Amino acid sequence: EPQPRRADGTIHEAYAAALRTAWQQHNLRPEVTGRHTGAKVQRLAALTWLRDGEAFAQQVPGKVPGVAHSGPVPFSLELFEPDLVPYSYQNGDRIYQGIERNAWGRPVTYFVLKRHPSEGMSAVYGSGDVKAIPADRVLHLALLDRIGQMRGVTEFASIITRLDDIKDYEESERVAAKVAASLTAYVKKNAPDGYSGPELDADGNKVARSLNMAPGMVIDSLAVGEEIGLIDSNRPNPNVVTFRMGQLRAVAAGVGASYSSIARDYNGTFSAQRQELVEQWVNYATLTDEFVGQLIQPTWASFVYVADLSGVVPRPRDVVVGSEDDALYLAQTMPWIDPAKEAAAYVALVRAGFASEVEVIRKRGGNPRDLLEQVSQWRKEAEEKGLIFSSNAEYPEVGGVP
């Protein structure tokens, strides 16, 4: 939500509206291949970031051969995977893990492979295999846990072995259950007196026996000293679910996700589910803040800058320099477990003055300005048709309280 400011602190509505319109046009196909929408670009970047530990994007402004920008603002993104920035590419003390840094450790240049390493490239990369991209044009999303760490490490690093063990264990249990579902019997041969061995034909060869089994069948063709035995595999194992639940809880703790979401197990009381959601949402909010700060915010700032330089959306003179790219970034809101209880809580907070209507609308993922315009237009049309809805009906006072 653009929020460019005037000198008196008010939002320049006309400039903000022009930026919103240009951004909507740009967001139709914001990357160089023209294959993905803005929402899909964010999902792909987030998926790569969380799966591989990092993701990269190059900002491509202005007229570039072969690039067709979406919308009037000449600006696009080029997404590329971490595999294209080789860990093994290094030269001296400044270039390490495919990144050149200055004496302060600030990235100066990113070295990106011209082809994917799976396309028959050797493990040793020469200068002709990579292209150097200035760091000010590269957006690097990375999961960093240590000071000085340059490349991101996937959150799955700590639990990938456990996931592999769960897969192997479940596969073994499935095979064992399939074997148990096929009733397996054997003939047990003892050696008491009277047992003369297998039946032989005229040439002295053993005669094959056929013991067919059917429901309710009584077998009376056993020889002396023989009996029927059954193989009991004790499957399905009743402890599989308990074991799997315990392992998935450890997985959830390792990646910082909620057990209910990973296991799709939503059993429990309202209080327990809400407590898990509230505690987990703090981690989601942190990830959202990192994602916005590393990708969305610099992309928006560059877009506004290019829109001004290109003359598509020039910055008005009464907009404070430096505030033209100010914006409010709306993330996904915490879902409601029990809508009736959540709504009643918000109503109580607003009536008590502990929260505003604008804050509630923002928390639900809405835009107060859009909501106000929609309600105003809807009531105007309803009034023209002589209709009155509960949202604008006049309620009588009860005990002095409206």
Side-chain angles (χ1 to χ4, degrees):
E1 181 68 21
Q3 293 186 337
R5 302 283 178 174
R6 294 186 176 91
D8 59 0
T10 59
I11 297 177
H12 198 295
E13 298 292 349
Y15 184 44
L19 288 175
R20 277 197 301 270
T21 300
W23 178 257
Q24 290 172 354
Q25 295 174 338
H26 163 78
N27 234 23
L28 295 175
R29 291 292 186 272
E31 47 87 45
V32 293
T33 67
R35 298 177 56 199
H36 309 299
T37 63
K40 187 60 179 294
V41 166
Q42 292 190 35
R43 285 196 293 270
L44 286 173
L47 174 62
T48 306
W49 175 50
L50 297 174
R51 181 193 62 215
D52 300 337
E54 59 183 356
F56 293 89
Q58 178 185 186
Q59 302 177 87
V60 184
K63 295 183 179 180
V64 179
V67 176
H69 299 292
S70 176
V73 178
F75 179 80
S76 297
L77 291 177
E78 179 192 14
L79 303 177
F80 54 93
E81 296 184 334
D83 294 341
L84 292 176
V85 182
Y87 275 86
S88 59
Y89 189 81
Q90 58 188 51
N91 185 4
D93 298 332
R94 295 292 180 88
I95 301 177
Y96 185 67
Q97 295 180 345
I99 303 175
E100 180 183 3
R101 297 173 291 174
N102 62 17
W104 291 94
R106 186 185 187 93
V108 176
T109 308
Y110 287 83
F111 295 91
V112 183
L113 293 176
K114 298 179 181 179
R115 295 180 299 160
H116 196 275
S118 64
E119 299 179 5
M121 298 185 67
S122 63
V124 179
Y125 306 114
S127 59
D129 298 324
V130 299
K131 59 181 179 180
I133 303 178
D136 58 358
R137 289 173 51 187
V138 176
L139 303 177
H140 184 194
L141 291 84
L143 294 172
L144 305 177
D145 299 320
R146 298 181 63 88
I147 299 174
Q149 180 179 342
M150 294 300 297
R151 302 296 297 269
V153 178
T154 173
E155 292 285 359
F156 293 95
S158 61
I159 51 92
I160 192 66
T161 304
R162 189 182 299 273
L163 288 174
D164 195 46
D165 291 342
I166 295 175
K167 172 182 173 295
D168 291 342
Y169 178 74
E170 289 183 341
E171 184 176 359
S172 299
E173 288 292 340
R174 288 199 307 270
V175 172
K178 289 171 64 177
V179 172
S182 303
L183 183 62
T184 305
Y186 62 94
V187 176
K188 182 178 180 181
K189 300 180 179 180
N190 300 316
D193 296 339
Y195 178 70
S196 58
E199 183 180 356
L200 303 176
D201 58 13
D203 298 329
N205 298 321
K206 184 188 299 186
V207 178
R209 298 173 61 186
S210 177
L211 295 176
N212 298 322
M213 303 185 69
M217 178 180 180
V218 177
I219 301 176
D220 61 352
S221 59
L222 296 179
V224 177
E226 294 182 341
E227 62 180 76
I228 294 293
L230 298 177
I231 297 177
D232 184 7
S233 65
N234 296 321
R235 291 297 192 280
N237 187 348
N239 297 318
V240 171
V241 175
T242 304
F243 173 80
R244 182 175 179 273
M245 288 173 56
Q247 295 300 305
L248 289 181
R249 290 187 186 278
V251 167
V255 298
S258 65
Y259 163 76
S260 298
S261 298
I262 290 179
R264 296 296 189 266
D265 181 8
Y266 302 103
N267 294 327
T269 63
F270 168 80
S271 299
Q273 290 186 12
R274 179 168 177 77
Q275 181 67 22
E276 181 187 30
L277 182 61
V278 169
E279 291 184 358
Q280 186 55 44
W281 205 256
V282 175
N283 184 52
Y284 294 156
T286 301
L287 291 174
T288 300
D289 186 58
E290 292 186 13
F291 186 78
V292 168
Q294 296 181 81
L295 179 69
I296 307 302
Q297 188 172 6
T299 299
W300 169 253
S302 297
F303 174 82
V304 174
Y305 180 70
V306 174
D308 180 27
L309 287 183
S310 62
V312 177
V313 187
R315 179 181 62 84
R317 292 185 177 181
D318 56 342
V319 171
V320 177
V321 177
S323 72
E324 61 274 4
D325 58 358
D326 286 356
L328 177 65
Y329 300 92
L330 303 176
Q332 292 291 334
T333 57
M334 187 172 69
W336 288 358
I337 296 177
D338 190 328
K341 293 182 180 179
E342 304 281 357
Y346 277 132
V347 170
L349 289 174
V350 172
R351 287 182 174 178
F354 299 138
S356 67
E357 291 89 343
V358 173
E359 178 185 356
V360 174
I361 295 172
R362 292 290 188 193
K363 287 185 176 181
R364 294 190 64 245
N367 187 317
R369 182 184 296 102
D370 293 342
L371 177 63
L372 190 61
E373 293 178 355
Q374 292 170 5
V375 173
S376 175
Q377 183 65 25
W378 172 253
R379 289 184 177 180
K380 179 180 178 181
E381 295 179 3
E383 184 179 354
E384 292 175 353
K385 297 181 181 297
L387 301 175
I388 298 177
F389 294 91
S390 60
S391 61
N392 62 347
E394 295 184 358
Y395 292 93
E397 292 188 0
V398 179
V401 179

